[in-house]
Amino acid sequence: MELDQILRSRSSVRNYDKKKVDPSLLKKIIAAGENSKALYEDITLHFLLLEDGQEAARKMSGYAGYFGKTIEGPHYVAAVTASKKGYLENLGYRMEQLMVTAFQEGLGTCWIEVLHHESKAKALLHIDDPDLLLLALTPIGYPKVGIGEKLVKSIIDEKSARENLYEMLHWGTWNSKKGESDQEPWVSVLEKVRFAPSWANQQPWQFIIDGDTLILAVMREKKDGLNRNRIDGGIIMFYIEAMVRQKGMNGKWVGPKEGVEKKYKIPENYEIIGSFSLNNAFE
Ligand SMILES: Cc1cc2nc3c(=O)[nH]c(=O)nc-3n(C[C@H](O)[C@H](O)[C@H](O)COP(=O)(O)O)c2cc1C
């Protein structure tokens, strides 16, 4: 299945069949995460299988999921990462690759971040590595609703569920707008990837097109501390890069340089997390 089709048919799964997943398949999914491409190679990140999903969900109750409500799944996967510049984006970028593999194997997943209950969650799940933070989890198993139904639903929901791309697009600098121009290479990429998942479907990303270069900004969080939106940023970075490749082009993400926020006139409640330059013309 092509990536744009995956994006249109995937959705977060919150209802799971009790049926266990074959251990060899679970191993394959974990391997897909462990071998996933990194945004930043120097950041250690691992995916751990929690075989007893019911027990994990019970322990996490009150700490993980919207309003502390966990999702029952036959198994869970936990992501643990070193804390280093760019680690939240790197987590989003890599864990989404694991989730795409799970989807391709007919399995459901649902992002659950535990940024604000990190040490509690780690202790409850007996993850002892002192150098790594437990920041995200996902249940994993067979969806209770058939994939076919999901596909239909996602197509029906498609328009209302995601914001209009042009609301998130800026040309050259922040708030510089222009009319719809689907001939632009970046527009055709972004039209597809805007279906990426995000926390509470907030779609906290904004895009600035500066010639061949795309600049990605995400909303800052009101509270001080970790910006959860950076995980969403990493997720869409993965899809953007994959979509660029699907369209026969190349390029790579680079982290923000000093002073870029000023250059692009980014408002204070947003921050730039990366830029991507195309180095191949569209065919
Ligand atoms: C970082 C992150 C954290 C999320 N946390 C939760 C969560 O705690 N509980 C939940 O039910 N869904 C969670 N979600 C799933 C989003 O609600 C979902 O991706 C969004 O509503 C879009 O729906 P879709 O994934 O079905 O396309 C999370 C998604 C992301 C990316």
Side-chain angles (χ1 to χ4, degrees), residues 17 28 103 109 130 150 182 197 202 255 263:
D17 205 295
K28 183 174 173 183
F103 176 78
T109 57
K150 287 261 169 205
D182 50 11
Q202 283 196 338
K263 177 178 173 195

Side-chain angles (χ1 to χ4, degrees), residues 1 5 15 24 35 38 52 87 92 96 98 107 112 122 126 138 147 162 174-175 198 210 222 230 259 273 276:
M1 204 189 274
Q5 249 179 308
N15 278 311
S24 64
N35 300 325
D52 189 341
Y87 69 119
E96 191 63 19
L98 176 150
L107 298 172
I112 295 175
K122 211 167 123 179
H126 304 296
T138 177
I147 294 277
R162 295 297 192 267
W174 190 270
N175 262 348
S198 59
D210 182 10
K222 289 187 190 77
R230 283 179 168 259
I273 61 168
F276 191 108

Side-chain angles (χ1 to χ4, degrees), residues 11 27 67 69 76 100 125 137 195 206 218 221 242:
S11 62
K27 217 171 144 188
F67 308 107
K69 199 173 172 308
Y76 260 75
V100 166
L125 294 176
L137 296 159
F195 295 101
Q206 295 283 323
V218 295
E221 278 206 75

Side-chain angles (χ1 to χ4, degrees), residues 88-109:
L88 294 175
E89 300 90 289
N90 191 56
L91 167 69
Y93 183 91
R94 294 192 62 182
M95 186 146 166
E96 191 63 19
Q97 294 174 59
L98 176 150
M99 289 172 152
V100 166
T101 304
F103 176 78
Q104 286 169 318
E105 296 290 344
L107 298 172
T109 57

